[in-house]
Amino acid sequence: MNKVLTPVNIICLLLLAAAGIFYYVVTLPPKVPEYELNTGPATVSKNVRLYFNDAALEKYRTEERTIELAVDNETTFARTALKALMDGPKAEGSVSTLPKTGEVPDVFTREGHYYVNLPAAWKNQTFGSTSELLLVCTITRTLLDLNPNNLDVAFMVDGKTVESLAGHVDLRNAFNRESCP
């Protein structure tokens, strides 16, 4: 008579059971990770220094403001600062040279440089040489104050590099702090 419970049969039975357990564990659905909900504030407040001009267009006038950011990153910060700059000054005696169009310029950064894409509608504005230079310089100074590590600001119109916005200021080269004294 043959024995059923031989050592070889027991080892095979244990291996079969181990294979079954292994198969069960491998085919289980993965655990859904648990994430902590963001319980912080819905917006982030940041201070910004905006550059405007005096009424005679001879010197800069600054205004400190607190702006609210829905997303705290450099691009959103720069775009929101430009929106505040377009809204104009609150202090009496200050003026803005930025057009009052509804379009806010797009801004992005790369490797320490700001790139500002001005709306095409801004090209249709009539700027004098002083107004055009002050428009570029108020944007440049405002952006460079946001992040002192950034070196300069390059301008485009409607996604393309242009010689000038209104024929007075060369926009082919980037502007830095020394370009806008």
Side-chain angles (χ1 to χ4, degrees):
M1 186 171 217
N2 293 341
K3 289 187 172 182
V4 176
L5 293 177
T6 64
V8 173
N9 286 350
I10 292 174
I11 291 172
C12 288
L13 190 60
L14 289 175
L15 286 174
L16 186 64
I21 292 171
F22 179 75
Y23 178 77
Y24 174 76
V25 170
V26 169
T27 58
L28 283 175
K31 275 187 163 179
V32 177
E34 292 184 27
Y35 296 102
E36 234 179 86
L37 294 176
N38 184 3
T39 56
T43 59
V44 175
S45 297
K46 287 197 170 192
N47 293 326
V48 64
R49 179 181 302 140
L50 303 174
Y51 284 83
F52 297 103
N53 305 102
D54 65 352
L57 300 179
E58 293 177 346
K59 56 185 174 180
Y60 298 108
R61 298 188 65 174
T62 61
E63 284 186 21
E64 300 286 333
R65 291 202 197 152
T66 301
I67 57 177
E68 301 293 323
L69 303 174
V71 178
D72 187 13
N73 65 38
E74 191 171 17
T75 302
T76 305
F77 188 29
R79 187 167 165 80
T80 307
L82 286 186
K83 172 71 174 117
L85 194 61
M86 284 183 64
D87 289 343
K90 293 183 179 177
E92 195 170 316
S94 295
V95 295
S96 175
T97 55
L98 274 66
K100 297 291 184 199
T101 65
E103 297 178 78
V104 178
D106 288 326
V107 181
F108 62 94
T109 60
R110 185 181 304 146
E111 298 174 3
H113 307 280
Y114 282 108
Y115 296 88
V116 178
N117 185 22
L118 302 172
W122 287 25
K123 190 115 170 103
N124 300 331
Q125 302 288 321
T126 53
F127 296 107
S129 58
T130 302
S131 295
E132 186 177 356
L133 179 62
L134 291 176
L135 176 142
V136 169
C137 285
T138 55
I139 291 174
T140 298
R141 290 180 137 239
T142 298
L143 290 177
L144 292 179
D145 272 5
L146 299 180
N147 184 349
N149 295 325
N150 283 351
L151 306 170
D152 54 27
V153 179
F155 290 90
M156 301 173 281
V157 176
D158 200 26
K160 298 175 187 97
T161 303
V162 293
E163 278 189 41
S164 178
L165 191 60
H168 307 290
V169 178
D170 187 1
L171 296 180
R172 293 174 292 185
N173 298 317
F175 288 77
N176 57 29
R177 287 170 180 80
E178 290 78 36
S179 304
C180 297

